[in-house]
Amino acid sequence: MTGFGLASADHENVKFAVEIKSLNSKFLELNLKLPRAFSDKELLLRNICSKEIERGKVNVSINIERSEENLKGATINAALLSKYYKQLEEININLGANSNNLLQAVLNFPDVISYTDEDVDEKDWEILNQTFNKALDSFNQFRITEGQVLKADLELRIKNILQFFSEIEVLEPLRIPLIKNRLLLFLEENAGKINVDQNRLEQELIYYIDKLDITEEKIRLRSHCDYFIETLKNKDANGKKLGFISQEIGREINTMGAKANDAQMQQLVVGMKEELEKIKEQLLNVL
């Protein structure tokens, strides 16, 4: 959700500039700065940003620079200032007070300085609106370019998870005989071969080995990975949805690790977890 867009335009010695920047955020946090003359357009601009940007910590800065001949700015009422100053000076003399900062004090009196609002017309708004839309297009193009990079990275991470998964599929059927032999050896060493009820032993082995079966986890993991890639290709904003799918992927990976009972398989599970963590970090950048 990081992005940047900038656009400017010149019209009759007036320069319009719009800058849009965003960082990651779960929600839309919009900070909009625009000239007072266009304050009546704030709600309209906020609605456009809410629709087009959706999520992110966004700063929109709109500036207008006028040439010196077009500047109006502040006006000092010289007659009123002089009147206030003479009155204060007379009071100071009578009181014997310090009169060093009289002018500074008078400048803060009501109506001594007045500010003239900039005159804007429909043409000014039209130019500003066009500039704003150009900046927004630039901002969205920045996001699209970044999104393509993110998409390629996420696809790679899923591909890596599936590669680890394919290695687990090779190891998974080999571990059952090893587990069975290990249990039989343990019983023979501790209870003696004669004292073992073979029928009961077979029942217990079947029950125990069934608890280590990861067939369902393998099916669900592959399905979740496929669904992740399918959702990633969708043009709609699916960042939250991808986050939910990644949680399901993590759940299956964790269960496989708990059931592995094999050092090589657990190492592969750790590799899958590392890739999944990188996916979760990158999803913070996805709408």
Side-chain angles (χ1 to χ4, degrees), residues 200-211:
R200 178 64 184 273
L201 175 60
E202 288 296 329
Q203 292 175 359
E204 293 296 333
L205 283 174
I206 291 172
Y207 176 79
Y208 178 73
I209 291 172
D210 184 63
K211 290 292 183 181

PDB file of all heavy atoms in Angstrom, residues 200-211:
ATOM      1  N   ARG A 200      -2.527 -57.428  20.156  1.00  0.00           N
ATOM      2  CA  ARG A 200      -2.736 -56.119  20.802  1.00  0.00           C
ATOM      3  C   ARG A 200      -1.719 -55.098  20.289  1.00  0.00           C
ATOM      4  O   ARG A 200      -2.040 -53.916  20.093  1.00  0.00           O
ATOM      5  CB  ARG A 200      -2.609 -56.287  22.322  1.00  0.00           C
ATOM      6  CG  ARG A 200      -2.754 -54.984  23.115  1.00  0.00           C
ATOM      7  CD  ARG A 200      -4.163 -54.414  22.944  1.00  0.00           C
ATOM      8  NE  ARG A 200      -4.287 -53.139  23.606  1.00  0.00           N
ATOM      9  CZ  ARG A 200      -4.608 -52.998  24.903  1.00  0.00           C
ATOM     10  NH1 ARG A 200      -4.811 -54.075  25.656  1.00  0.00           N
ATOM     11  NH2 ARG A 200      -4.739 -51.805  25.434  1.00  0.00           N
ATOM     12  N   LEU A 201      -0.485 -55.591  20.053  1.00  0.00           N
ATOM     13  CA  LEU A 201       0.555 -54.703  19.549  1.00  0.00           C
ATOM     14  C   LEU A 201       0.182 -54.136  18.188  1.00  0.00           C
ATOM     15  O   LEU A 201       0.343 -52.947  17.929  1.00  0.00           O
ATOM     16  CB  LEU A 201       1.885 -55.451  19.464  1.00  0.00           C
ATOM     17  CG  LEU A 201       3.054 -54.679  18.835  1.00  0.00           C
ATOM     18  CD1 LEU A 201       3.349 -53.421  19.641  1.00  0.00           C
ATOM     19  CD2 LEU A 201       4.275 -55.573  18.724  1.00  0.00           C
ATOM     20  N   GLU A 202      -0.329 -55.012  17.301  1.00  0.00           N
ATOM     21  CA  GLU A 202      -0.726 -54.558  15.972  1.00  0.00           C
ATOM     22  C   GLU A 202      -1.840 -53.517  16.060  1.00  0.00           C
ATOM     23  O   GLU A 202      -1.836 -52.520  15.323  1.00  0.00           O
ATOM     24  CB  GLU A 202      -1.188 -55.745  15.120  1.00  0.00           C
ATOM     25  CG  GLU A 202      -0.076 -56.674  14.676  1.00  0.00           C
ATOM     26  CD  GLU A 202       0.924 -55.979  13.761  1.00  0.00           C
ATOM     27  OE1 GLU A 202       0.514 -55.061  13.018  1.00  0.00           O
ATOM     28  OE2 GLU A 202       2.119 -56.344  13.790  1.00  0.00           O
ATOM     29  N   GLN A 203      -2.804 -53.734  16.963  1.00  0.00           N
ATOM     30  CA  GLN A 203      -3.901 -52.779  17.138  1.00  0.00           C
ATOM     31  C   GLN A 203      -3.376 -51.408  17.601  1.00  0.00           C
ATOM     32  O   GLN A 203      -3.786 -50.363  17.092  1.00  0.00           O
ATOM     33  CB  GLN A 203      -4.919 -53.313  18.144  1.00  0.00           C
ATOM     34  CG  GLN A 203      -5.684 -54.538  17.645  1.00  0.00           C
ATOM     35  CD  GLN A 203      -6.605 -55.101  18.721  1.00  0.00           C
ATOM     36  OE1 GLN A 203      -6.676 -54.596  19.844  1.00  0.00           O
ATOM     37  NE2 GLN A 203      -7.317 -56.173  18.380  1.00  0.00           N
ATOM     38  N   GLU A 204      -2.464 -51.449  18.567  1.00  0.00           N
ATOM     39  CA  GLU A 204      -1.906 -50.205  19.096  1.00  0.00           C
ATOM     40  C   GLU A 204      -1.057 -49.481  18.045  1.00  0.00           C
ATOM     41  O   GLU A 204      -1.074 -48.248  17.960  1.00  0.00           O
ATOM     42  CB  GLU A 204      -1.063 -50.489  20.340  1.00  0.00           C
ATOM     43  CG  GLU A 204      -1.848 -50.983  21.532  1.00  0.00           C
ATOM     44  CD  GLU A 204      -2.830 -49.944  22.048  1.00  0.00           C
ATOM     45  OE1 GLU A 204      -2.578 -48.725  21.853  1.00  0.00           O
ATOM     46  OE2 GLU A 204      -3.862 -50.331  22.626  1.00  0.00           O
ATOM     47  N   LEU A 205      -0.315 -50.271  17.265  1.00  0.00           N
ATOM     48  CA  LEU A 205       0.499 -49.670  16.223  1.00  0.00           C
ATOM     49  C   LEU A 205      -0.368 -48.975  15.166  1.00  0.00           C
ATOM     50  O   LEU A 205      -0.053 -47.874  14.704  1.00  0.00           O
ATOM     51  CB  LEU A 205       1.377 -50.727  15.560  1.00  0.00           C
ATOM     52  CG  LEU A 205       2.619 -51.176  16.338  1.00  0.00           C
ATOM     53  CD1 LEU A 205       3.295 -52.332  15.631  1.00  0.00           C
ATOM     54  CD2 LEU A 205       3.598 -50.012  16.518  1.00  0.00           C
ATOM     55  N   ILE A 206      -1.442 -49.663  14.799  1.00  0.00           N
ATOM     56  CA  ILE A 206      -2.358 -49.080  13.810  1.00  0.00           C
ATOM     57  C   ILE A 206      -2.950 -47.774  14.332  1.00  0.00           C
ATOM     58  O   ILE A 206      -3.025 -46.771  13.618  1.00  0.00           O
ATOM     59  CB  ILE A 206      -3.487 -50.080  13.467  1.00  0.00           C
ATOM     60  CG1 ILE A 206      -2.910 -51.268  12.684  1.00  0.00           C
ATOM     61  CG2 ILE A 206      -4.578 -49.393  12.652  1.00  0.00           C
ATOM     62  CD1 ILE A 206      -3.900 -52.390  12.461  1.00  0.00           C
ATOM     63  N   TYR A 207      -3.363 -47.776  15.609  1.00  0.00           N
ATOM     64  CA  TYR A 207      -3.943 -46.582  16.230  1.00  0.00           C
ATOM     65  C   TYR A 207      -2.906 -45.448  16.290  1.00  0.00           C
ATOM     66  O   TYR A 207      -3.204 -44.302  15.937  1.00  0.00           O
ATOM     67  CB  TYR A 207      -4.439 -46.929  17.635  1.00  0.00           C
ATOM     68  CG  TYR A 207      -4.967 -45.743  18.397  1.00  0.00           C
ATOM     69  CD1 TYR A 207      -6.247 -45.252  18.154  1.00  0.00           C
ATOM     70  CD2 TYR A 207      -4.175 -45.104  19.350  1.00  0.00           C
ATOM     71  CE1 TYR A 207      -6.724 -44.149  18.855  1.00  0.00           C
ATOM     72  CE2 TYR A 207      -4.651 -44.004  20.050  1.00  0.00           C
ATOM     73  CZ  TYR A 207      -5.920 -43.526  19.803  1.00  0.00           C
ATOM     74  OH  TYR A 207      -6.392 -42.451  20.485  1.00  0.00           O
ATOM     75  N   TYR A 208      -1.699 -45.786  16.688  1.00  0.00           N
ATOM     76  CA  TYR A 208      -0.647 -44.788  16.852  1.00  0.00           C
ATOM     77  C   TYR A 208      -0.233 -44.208  15.502  1.00  0.00           C
ATOM     78  O   TYR A 208      -0.107 -42.981  15.342  1.00  0.00           O
ATOM     79  CB  TYR A 208       0.559 -45.414  17.552  1.00  0.00           C
ATOM     80  CG  TYR A 208       1.721 -44.478  17.738  1.00  0.00           C
ATOM     81  CD1 TYR A 208       1.669 -43.460  18.688  1.00  0.00           C
ATOM     82  CD2 TYR A 208       2.871 -44.600  16.957  1.00  0.00           C
ATOM     83  CE1 TYR A 208       2.735 -42.589  18.859  1.00  0.00           C
ATOM     84  CE2 TYR A 208       3.940 -43.738  17.123  1.00  0.00           C
ATOM     85  CZ  TYR A 208       3.864 -42.734  18.083  1.00  0.00           C
ATOM     86  OH  TYR A 208       4.916 -41.873  18.239  1.00  0.00           O
ATOM     87  N   ILE A 209      -0.049 -45.087  14.532  1.00  0.00           N
ATOM     88  CA  ILE A 209       0.393 -44.640  13.204  1.00  0.00           C
ATOM     89  C   ILE A 209      -0.693 -43.813  12.526  1.00  0.00           C
ATOM     90  O   ILE A 209      -0.406 -42.864  11.795  1.00  0.00           O
ATOM     91  CB  ILE A 209       0.810 -45.854  12.342  1.00  0.00           C
ATOM     92  CG1 ILE A 209       2.104 -46.459  12.910  1.00  0.00           C
ATOM     93  CG2 ILE A 209       1.015 -45.445  10.889  1.00  0.00           C
ATOM     94  CD1 ILE A 209       2.511 -47.761  12.277  1.00  0.00           C
ATOM     95  N   ASP A 210      -1.958 -44.172  12.786  1.00  0.00           N
ATOM     96  CA  ASP A 210      -3.066 -43.400  12.225  1.00  0.00           C
ATOM     97  C   ASP A 210      -3.040 -41.960  12.731  1.00  0.00           C
ATOM     98  O   ASP A 210      -3.395 -41.023  12.006  1.00  0.00           O
ATOM     99  CB  ASP A 210      -4.395 -44.063  12.585  1.00  0.00           C
ATOM    100  CG  ASP A 210      -5.578 -43.348  11.944  1.00  0.00           C
ATOM    101  OD1 ASP A 210      -5.644 -43.322  10.698  1.00  0.00           O
ATOM    102  OD2 ASP A 210      -6.425 -42.811  12.690  1.00  0.00           O
ATOM    103  N   LYS A 211      -2.610 -41.783  13.983  1.00  0.00           N
ATOM    104  CA  LYS A 211      -2.521 -40.442  14.554  1.00  0.00           C
ATOM    105  C   LYS A 211      -1.444 -39.600  13.875  1.00  0.00           C
ATOM    106  O   LYS A 211      -1.470 -38.374  13.926  1.00  0.00           O
ATOM    107  CB  LYS A 211      -2.206 -40.535  16.058  1.00  0.00           C
ATOM    108  CG  LYS A 211      -3.339 -41.083  16.899  1.00  0.00           C
ATOM    109  CD  LYS A 211      -4.507 -40.112  16.929  1.00  0.00           C
ATOM    110  CE  LYS A 211      -5.622 -40.606  17.828  1.00  0.00           C
ATOM    111  NZ  LYS A 211      -6.770 -39.658  17.837  1.00  0.00           N
TER     112      LYS A 211
END
